[in-house]
Amino acid sequence: MAMFNMNDADNYGSSSKGSFFVLKDDGDKARVRFLYNGMEDIMGYAVHRVQVGEKERYVNCLRAYNEPLDKCPFCAAQMKITPRLFLKLYNEDAGETQIWERSKLYYQKLSGYANRYKPLYNEVIEIERHGKKGDKQTDYQFFPIENTPIEIDDEKYDCSDPLGTIILDKTADEMVEYINTGDFPQTSNGGNNNHSNDEPAIVRRTPNNTGRRAF
Ligand SMILES: [Zn+2]
């Protein structure tokens, strides 16, 4: 398992809802709620980035940082590990749950808000992009705008887990085949482990992933 900071992580529903949260250009903004009680709920994922057909995809790293390299064939092959956050949020403007992919630096960025606003999901925060499209220095500013309590168990706040959707969940054998052939085997292990290589990079609601959990 390659998740970090997962002490007692509580996730809110496991259905496959959620598209990506994107602010495209300088000055774009949106009002969101981060769907976490506090920092302890936010999980990071250690992933490998690989080319699958035309697309780059994330694949879940199979080992914890303190486990031997050979637990994960991609690590054993000296492929780089990237820690990523896939933040679950509810976009008040779009009226749907979305996932925002960020670097692990966002742990720090979010912690101030999580300490101040408990539970964090009750706070509506406006996010504003500073930086033009493609600008590597792009930053996002957060402006807490109102505190309105919600029922976090409400179905509309269900957000899909990234593992098995955005992050491919491959076995060691499948990784070895990828290393040998440059592609994953077409048939995955287990009858319902059916996320194919043709899956779009942006995952929208896909009923056949219902029920998958990150852990
Ligand atoms: Zn690995």
Side-chain angles (χ1 to χ4, degrees):
M1 263 309 158
M3 283 172 270
F4 51 92
N5 194 19
M6 54 185 280
N7 22 338
D8 200 26
D10 180 21
N11 71 346
Y12 303 108
S14 55
S15 64
S16 281
K17 290 184 175 181
S19 53
F20 274 122
F21 175 75
V22 183
L23 294 175
K24 289 202 175 106
D25 211 344
D26 190 40
D28 284 2
K29 44 193 151 182
R31 294 173 308 135
V32 311
R33 294 171 188 274
F34 290 98
L35 298 174
Y36 303 97
N37 188 45
M39 289 306 289
E40 67 281 1
D41 295 338
I42 303 177
M43 281 188 300
Y45 293 84
V47 293
H48 295 281
R49 196 175 206 149
V50 302
Q51 194 73 27
V52 178
E54 309 269 284
K55 304 185 188 94
E56 281 211 318
R57 297 296 308 264
Y58 290 128
V59 178
N60 186 40
C61 177
L62 295 180
R63 71 185 187 95
Y65 70 93
N66 53 359
E67 289 182 315
L69 284 180
D70 60 12
K71 272 209 90 173
C72 173
F74 282 176
C75 285
Q78 299 188 327
M79 290 163 64
K80 190 175 167 231
I81 299 177
T82 311
R84 300 301 284 170
L85 296 181
F86 296 89
L87 299 170
K88 297 177 181 184
L89 54 83
Y90 182 79
N91 185 329
E92 292 280 340
D93 298 330
E96 63 172 9
T97 55
Q98 298 179 336
I99 287 179
W100 194 21
E101 185 191 335
R102 297 283 83 202
S103 77
K104 66 178 181 180
L105 297 177
Y106 272 69
Y107 267 130
Q108 205 177 1
K109 187 157 175 132
L110 273 172
S111 66
Y113 298 94
N115 289 335
R116 192 176 186 113
Y117 305 110
K118 284 194 168 174
L120 182 58
Y121 53 70
N122 280 345
E123 188 68 22
V124 178
I125 296 173
E126 187 169 78
I127 302 177
E128 183 174 340
R129 176 177 173 135
H130 294 277
K132 293 212 183 306
K133 204 171 181 177
D135 183 352
K136 293 258 191 286
Q137 304 295 318
T138 292
D139 190 22
Y140 294 87
Q141 251 187 309
F142 291 2
F143 302 98
I145 51 176
E146 62 176 358
N147 192 279
T148 45
I150 57 167
E151 289 295 329
I152 193 66
D153 294 331
D154 191 322
E155 202 181 291
K156 80 181 206 184
Y157 300 117
D158 277 358
C159 192
S160 66
D161 281 307
L163 189 61
T165 54
I166 296 163
I167 307 167
L168 300 178
D169 191 12
K170 298 294 184 187
T171 64
D173 286 348
E174 289 172 317
M175 287 181 173
V176 169
E177 173 144 346
Y178 181 91
I179 291 166
N180 291 334
T181 67
D183 207 351
F184 290 110
Q186 288 301 310
T187 48
S188 288
N189 62 316
N192 58 2
N193 186 11
N194 204 17
H195 31 269
S196 76
N197 298 335
D198 300 328
E199 200 169 288
I202 293 178
V203 177
R204 300 206 176 254
R205 295 169 189 192
T206 40
N208 58 0
N209 282 324
T210 303
R212 288 198 54 84
R213 299 180 68 97
F215 43 85

